[in-house]
């Protein structure tokens, strides 16, 4: 798909992979509606508009979508479900509130955002949904049971969804990065890029690659790993 002039929604746009993806899409000529609880600092572009949205709340998602269609355009072609949080800890010491917050954001939010864009994508016979999961959706890790559970859920959702909507002209890609240098889990990215981790821009470039695939091709799953991890 040529991305010039295409309308894209990116969730979790304030920093990390979401912001990098918005910037990569803008560089390709797309029109980007950035959804998030806070606006990305310093990101100003004539083809970028920020919409405040808490994806954990279905009404907030519906309102952001109506606002996006009214202010940016009706024909949304791309949805990047990127917003996500990770709370770590042992299962028997894990806060139930933290558990629910992860599922509300990482799983329920993906459902709400996907559900709201699908009717228009089906109507126009074209659309692409990118779900940002994680390698934690392929294998469990100690002290990450809740996070792994949410990302396994996103992977399963994506696998079922692509089979459900492919005949409608809607493509679905599940992107599963390993270690990325972001604010994930409260860590601050270093001043110098960590050569043992991928950068948000690397994930964004892969998302663009999936979006630009020839129309007859769907990259249904992409696993990404650092080339030379520690």
């Amino acid at each position: 798909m040529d991305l010039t002039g295409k309308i894209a929604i990116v969730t979790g746009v304030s920093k990390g992979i979401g912001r990098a993806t918005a910037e990569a899409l803008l560089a390709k000529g797309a029109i980007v509606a950035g959804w998030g609880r806070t606006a990305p600092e310093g990101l100003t572009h004539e083809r970028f508009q920020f919409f405040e949205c808490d994806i954990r709340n279905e009404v907030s998602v519906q309102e952001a979508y109506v606002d996006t269609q009214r202010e940016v355009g009706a024909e949304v072609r791309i949805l990047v479900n990127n917003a996500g949080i990770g709370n770590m800890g042992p299962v028997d010491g894990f806060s139930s509130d933290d558990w629910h917050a992860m599922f509300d954001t990482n799983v329920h939010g993906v459902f709400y955002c996907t559900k709201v864009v699908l009717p228009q994508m089906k109507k126009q016979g074209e659309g692409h949904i990118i779900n940002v999961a994680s390698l934690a959706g392929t294998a469990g890790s100690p002290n990450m049971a809740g996070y792994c559970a949410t990302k396994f859920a996103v992977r399963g959702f994506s696998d079922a969804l692509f089979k459900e909507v492919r005949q409608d002209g809607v493509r679905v890609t599940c992107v599963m990065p390993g270690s990325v240098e972001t604010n994930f889990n409260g860590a601050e990215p270093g001043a110098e890029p960590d050569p043992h981790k991928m950068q948000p821009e690397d994930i964004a470039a892969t998302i663009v690659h999936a979006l630009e695939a020839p129309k007859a091709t769907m990259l249904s799953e992409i696993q990404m790993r650092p080339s030379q991890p520690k």
Side-chain angles (χ1 to χ4, degrees):
M1 188 196 321
D2 178 5
L3 303 181
T4 309
K6 297 293 196 301
I7 298 171
I9 294 168
V10 179
T11 71
V13 76
S14 65
K15 56 193 177 197
I17 294 169
R19 183 184 178 128
T21 300
E23 290 174 344
L25 288 168
L26 289 168
K28 288 286 186 176
I31 301 162
V32 179
W35 291 8
R37 285 181 288 174
T38 51
E41 214 172 296
L43 177 53
T44 54
H45 194 288
E46 62 183 5
R47 283 183 276 105
F48 175 78
Q49 194 160 339
F50 174 74
F51 297 88
E52 192 173 328
C53 177
D54 182 349
I55 65 160
R56 298 172 300 181
N57 181 315
E58 188 170 12
V59 172
S60 179
V61 168
Q62 289 165 343
E63 288 174 352
Y65 185 64
V66 168
D67 291 345
T68 297
Q69 286 198 307
R70 184 182 67 242
E71 296 181 35
V72 180
E75 294 195 358
V76 174
R77 304 278 170 174
I78 298 160
L79 168 65
V80 181
N81 278 315
N82 160 74
I85 56 172
N87 298 315
M88 309 306 167
V91 169
D92 56 355
F94 206 79
S95 146
S96 295
D97 285 345
D98 284 349
W99 179 277
H100 284 280
M102 275 198 297
F103 271 87
D104 285 343
T105 304
N106 300 4
V107 184
H108 305 151
V110 168
F111 166 65
Y112 298 148
C113 294
T114 301
K115 182 182 175 184
V116 83
V117 303
L118 270 178
Q120 176 64 32
M121 287 185 175
K122 287 179 174 181
K123 181 180 166 190
Q124 64 206 19
E126 184 187 320
H128 200 144
I129 296 167
I130 305 271
N131 293 328
V132 180
S134 165
L135 289 181
T138 67
S141 297
N143 297 312
M144 289 178 66
Y147 183 71
C148 289
T150 66
K151 293 306 186 178
F152 266 81
V154 171
R155 190 184 185 189
F157 177 72
S158 303
D159 192 45
L161 182 67
F162 98 73
K163 292 165 184 170
E164 183 177 316
V165 299
R166 65 199 302 188
Q167 299 301 335
D168 297 301
V170 181
R171 298 194 284 187
V172 179
T173 303
C174 185
V175 177
M176 294 178 279
S179 302
V180 183
E181 194 167 18
T182 65
N183 297 73
F184 182 75
N185 201 26
E188 288 293 329
E192 291 294 314
D194 183 342
H196 304 290
K197 288 185 174 181
M198 294 177 291
Q199 298 302 311
E201 293 75 18
D202 302 332
I203 314 306
T206 300
I207 288 170
V208 167
H209 173 69
L211 291 169
E212 288 184 327
K215 192 162 185 177
T217 305
M218 172 168 47
L219 300 173
S220 56
E221 279 196 350
I222 305 174
Q223 294 189 17
M224 303 179 67
R225 293 174 167 79
S227 298
Q228 296 181 304
K230 278 182 181 167

